[in-house]
Amino acid sequence: MNSKRFSYGLLMAAAMANNANADTHAHGITDGANLPATADYGYLKQSATPFMLSDEQIEQLSEQVLWQRLLLLPDDFAMSRRQKLVGESDFFLSDSNGKPINAKDELVAMLSAIEQGDQVVLCRFPARAHFLANELAKLGVSLAVSDDGCADFHAWVDDIAATRLSLVFAEEHGNNLASAFAHTFMRIDSREDDATGQFATAMNYTVKAEPSDGVLSGAIKPLIGGYAGVMEILPYSVKANDYLVKDERDLWEYRLDLSDAEVDQIMRHIWEVRNLARPYYLTHDNCATEIVRLVDVVRADKSIFAKLGAVTTPAKIAQLLQKEGMITHTHYHPSKSTQRQALINNGADFDLMAIKPNDNNPTKASPIHRLGLGVLYDERHGAAYHLSVRSAYQDWLDRPSGVRKFHEVVLPSIDIKHQDGKMRLDELTIFKTTSLNPTNTAKAYADGQSDKKALATQVYLGVRQTIDASDWHNDTHTVLDARLQKGKSWAVGQGAKATGDLPDAVCYVLGGGGVQLGRVNQGYRVGVQTSVGCIHHHTDRLRTVGEIAVPYWYHHDSIGRSGYVQPSVALGMQYDLDRHHALRINGLAQKNHHKHDHSLRIEWLAYF
């Protein structure tokens, strides 16, 4: 950001006044003291008509979308919670008396502060002052004010010296649940020729976790807004190193189509909100949505935030910004593990400067939500009809373009079955994740800090239909199912030439245990299981998965058998019709007590 360009922003707005019949007021402010970033505004006396504006003009100004966005009012998820946190700071001038913040009251308070020549307010809210100076100039009100006395603000903008902004996408983390859905932050450039980001700054909006919280609390609180979201300003090289080297995750940079004036206004607004503690929601008010909100602050003709939906991932932000025409340039940074894999794929003498991007550009990914309509036939009950809805994110058969290869994370999804004239729940997946970490690849390590290879890991929690094979009835029951398996996997074949991508096939061996609770024989059963399987990407559109599972189940039974093996073979295939539609086939053969059961399911999938 050009500090000099900002200094005269308000004075230049005054020169725009062209209404000779309007009343003109000039207010000079000359206090050059180094003012604090926060202050008590309780002394402000709100005038009903500051600058002799009419009630109609005040109303019209307060209803302008950019004014409301500067107050965070459009982002009204859990508004009472948001305003409780924000209201504890100095972010609002008007006295709400415990009621929701009113845009008109806040406008009157801000105009009154400007009219009274309050330098503290001007230095605390430069984005609001700049916006109002431009708007009042259109009404013929000239503000002869300057921010020359805002030493702290000028030191900050001079240090960052923003000239352009970029969205940075860090791919999904293969072994960290908190980062399994990827991450975004903002790159702020000060020089046009800084390709590596040596002189750039990073703005990162992230969750402020409590160190004393356990694993369970740490996983749940971001879902319900239990943690505050905080803004970090730090050197870009430090932040990029965290992802490229420490986490070994590829980065994608998307330069945003913003004018110098828009970049300046975004930086003013970042100054205003940089110390706020706001509720952080993993699904809809997160690192990615903050980038969109900042763009919306300077684009009245756009409302990108409103298009995000109930669940927003970093990949969705990149796709939406591209759709809105906000991306002018894309740049790929391979991680250290991708560079090592490129040497495995192409030989030790391969020139890493010639590396081609992996197929994980999030702008090419399918939407994260999925609707399925299917028909199933099993020899015991005949035909059944299925309706499935998945909230997010990706399983092994889904289209892999735009995401980390062989990355499986499934958030709440539901599958309802209609059979024999009855509707019932077939499966509710609460959570499922699989990290394969093929041991013969550069992706075998949990992070870049150790030479210890990570195990393949699979975790599942859900409610589903299962067959109780403890006796000859083989009854089907609904159970709560929890499983954990660990093991190893191996890539098969060769990665694409000139890339650091994994080969198109992976095979694995997993072992572990689980428990099911419900109306099975004794109300429970515990078991251990070995699973052997392979995943193969035949073409860009066709994938198959096969798995042999051999579980041993136990429950104490004084009459029937207490322990038994219930082996199964599962095969799955998906063919993508396009980015938004696919056909999927799943087959299952399972040994249940005295007989074998077989089923086949054909499903049409729509991604949205």
Side-chain angles (χ1 to χ4, degrees):
M1 184 181 197
N2 187 314
S3 177
K4 186 175 181 180
R5 184 170 69 219
F6 174 83
S7 293
Y8 296 98
L10 299 182
L11 292 171
M12 290 299 294
M16 294 170 56
N18 56 12
N19 186 346
N21 296 323
D23 291 323
T24 300
H25 304 267
H27 298 267
I29 299 175
T30 58
D31 182 6
N34 186 359
L35 295 167
T38 62
D40 180 7
Y41 305 113
Y43 70 90
L44 285 177
K45 302 298 183 181
Q46 297 181 8
S47 170
T49 58
F51 296 105
M52 298 181 66
L53 296 173
S54 68
D55 288 339
E56 182 180 1
Q57 289 173 319
I58 292 288
E59 190 72 33
Q60 289 175 349
L61 276 174
S62 69
E63 291 176 353
Q64 289 206 28
V65 65
L66 292 186
W67 172 250
Q68 296 193 9
R69 289 174 182 173
L70 287 171
L71 302 178
L72 307 181
L73 295 185
D75 314 350
D76 57 357
F77 298 105
M79 180 57 72
S80 61
R81 167 71 172 163
R82 173 188 293 278
Q83 293 196 352
K84 179 179 182 296
L85 286 176
V86 176
E88 291 171 355
S89 71
D90 62 343
F91 191 69
F92 295 117
L93 299 175
S94 58
D95 186 1
S96 65
N97 293 319
K99 298 179 180 179
I101 294 298
N102 181 281
K104 182 178 178 180
D105 291 344
E106 194 66 18
L107 174 67
V108 171
M110 184 69 191
L111 290 173
S112 298
I114 296 174
E115 191 175 45
Q116 295 173 27
D118 192 321
Q119 187 78 354
V120 173
V121 172
L122 290 174
C123 294
R124 175 65 182 89
F125 300 111
R128 297 185 200 179
H130 178 81
F131 169 79
L132 291 176
N134 283 318
E135 294 303 313
L136 290 177
K138 298 174 186 178
L139 299 175
V141 179
S142 176
L143 303 182
V145 297
S146 171
D147 63 4
D148 288 341
C150 304
D152 288 347
F153 173 69
H154 281 291
W156 185 79
V157 296
D158 286 346
D159 182 56
I160 296 176
T163 60
R164 65 189 184 195
L165 307 178
S166 300
L167 169 74
V168 184
F169 175 92
E171 74 167 336
E172 301 85 356
H173 198 305
N175 297 283
N176 186 332
L177 176 59
S179 302
F181 313 103
H183 184 69
T184 56
F185 59 99
M186 181 178 283
R187 170 172 166 165
I188 306 171
D189 279 303
S190 60
R191 293 172 50 165
E192 297 289 334
D193 60 347
D194 187 14
T196 63
Q198 177 182 356
F199 303 101
T201 301
M203 188 286 292
N204 182 47
Y205 186 67
T206 186
V207 64
K208 184 180 180 181
E210 297 293 338
S212 59
D213 283 345
V215 175
L216 184 59
S217 295
I220 294 176
K221 282 188 175 182
L223 293 173
I224 61 175
Y227 287 139
V230 294
M231 190 173 285
E232 299 175 337
I233 308 292
L234 68 164
Y236 173 81
S237 58
V238 173
K239 195 63 182 173
N241 185 75
D242 286 343
Y243 294 107
L244 295 172
V245 179
K246 293 181 180 180
D247 288 353
E248 299 202 324
R249 298 156 65 183
D250 295 347
L251 293 180
W252 287 88
E253 289 179 358
Y254 305 97
R255 190 177 302 163
L256 301 178
D257 184 17
L258 297 166
S259 67
D260 289 345
E262 289 170 334
V263 170
D264 288 353
Q265 180 67 344
I266 288 175
M267 294 306 298
R268 294 185 189 100
H269 184 60
I270 290 177
W271 168 264
E272 293 181 353
V273 301
R274 73 197 189 285
N275 292 324
L276 293 185
R278 290 169 279 162
Y280 188 99
Y281 293 89
L282 184 64
T283 57
H284 61 258
D285 209 350
N286 51 37
C287 64
T289 59
E290 181 66 7
I291 304 293
V292 169
R293 196 190 64 75
L294 291 173
V295 172
D296 276 353
V297 160
V298 297
R299 292 290 179 94
D301 60 328
K302 293 184 179 295
S303 184
I304 304 176
F305 195 101
K307 299 176 182 179
L308 296 178
V311 178
T312 299
T313 64
K316 190 174 182 178
I317 296 294
Q319 295 168 16
L320 191 53
L321 288 173
Q322 183 184 62
K323 184 178 180 180
E324 294 290 322
M326 290 296 301
I327 295 175
T328 63
H329 178 75
T330 300
H331 186 73
Y332 170 73
H333 294 280
S335 65
K336 288 297 182 183
S337 64
T338 294
Q339 293 180 23
R340 294 197 307 270
Q341 187 64 35
L343 298 179
I344 294 174
N345 292 348
N346 303 281
D349 58 348
F350 176 71
D351 181 7
L352 291 176
M353 297 299 294
I355 192 171
K356 295 181 180 178
N358 287 345
D359 188 26
N360 57 359
N361 185 341
T363 62
K364 298 181 179 179
S366 292
I368 61 172
H369 310 302
R370 194 184 73 194
L371 171 69
L373 297 174
V375 178
L376 177 141
Y377 179 82
D378 71 75
E379 55 188 357
R380 181 187 303 192
H381 299 103
Y385 304 94
H386 284 257
L387 170 66
S388 63
V389 180
R390 187 188 66 197
S391 62
Y393 180 68
Q394 183 87 9
D395 65 33
W396 280 336
L397 283 176
D398 286 317
R399 182 174 173 272
S401 291
V403 297
R404 188 183 183 99
K405 201 165 189 177
F406 303 117
H407 183 66
E408 183 175 51
V409 176
V410 179
L411 287 181
S413 64
I414 188 168
D415 188 341
I416 298 173
K417 177 167 66 175
H418 182 272
Q419 191 172 45
D420 298 329
K422 297 180 179 179
M423 297 282 292
R424 66 176 180 177
L425 175 69
D426 191 62
E427 183 172 15
L428 170 64
T429 300
I430 300 172
F431 178 77
K432 181 182 181 182
T433 180
T434 309
S435 302
L436 287 178
N437 305 308
T439 191
N440 58 338
T441 72
K443 303 291 186 178
Y445 307 93
D447 54 51
Q449 307 307 300
S450 130
D451 293 331
K452 184 178 180 180
K453 294 183 178 180
L455 293 174
T457 304
Q458 185 176 81
V459 180
Y460 173 87
L461 176 64
V463 177
R464 67 187 189 92
Q465 295 289 318
T466 191
I467 295 178
D468 179 0
S470 61
D471 58 43
W472 67 274
H473 290 293
N474 292 333
D475 292 330
T476 301
H477 298 291
T478 302
V479 297
L480 175 65
D481 190 356
R483 301 191 303 269
L484 170 64
Q485 295 189 95
K486 293 190 174 185
K488 285 192 173 184
S489 72
W490 299 264
V492 180
Q494 189 73 21
K497 288 295 182 181
T499 76
D501 214 351
L502 291 176
D504 288 329
V506 170
C507 293
Y508 59 88
V509 176
L510 300 173
V515 60
Q516 292 182 349
L517 305 174
R519 296 184 60 186
V520 285
N521 190 294
Q522 300 296 315
Y524 77 96
R525 61 178 182 174
V526 296
V528 293
Q529 176 173 306
T530 299
S531 303
V532 179
C534 290
I535 312 157
H536 188 202
H537 295 182
H538 300 277
T539 69
D540 291 341
R541 295 194 173 199
L542 180 65
R543 295 163 299 282
T544 57
V545 175
E547 181 178 280
I548 299 173
V550 184
Y552 174 81
W553 293 107
Y554 175 83
H555 54 74
H556 179 69
D557 192 334
S558 58
I559 300 177
R561 61 179 185 172
S562 296
Y564 53 91
V565 176
Q566 195 175 5
S568 64
V569 178
L571 295 173
M573 179 179 68
Q574 178 165 316
Y575 180 79
D576 301 326
L577 302 174
D578 54 38
R579 184 174 173 179
H580 296 272
H581 304 90
L583 292 175
R584 179 176 291 196
I585 300 176
N586 283 295
L588 178 68
Q590 185 169 266
K591 175 69 166 62
N592 296 316
H593 199 268
H594 63 291
K595 64 178 296 185
H596 293 83
D597 287 322
H598 304 83
S599 66
L600 181 68
R601 177 170 171 174
I602 301 176
E603 194 169 16
W604 171 81
L605 302 175
Y607 297 84
F608 62 98

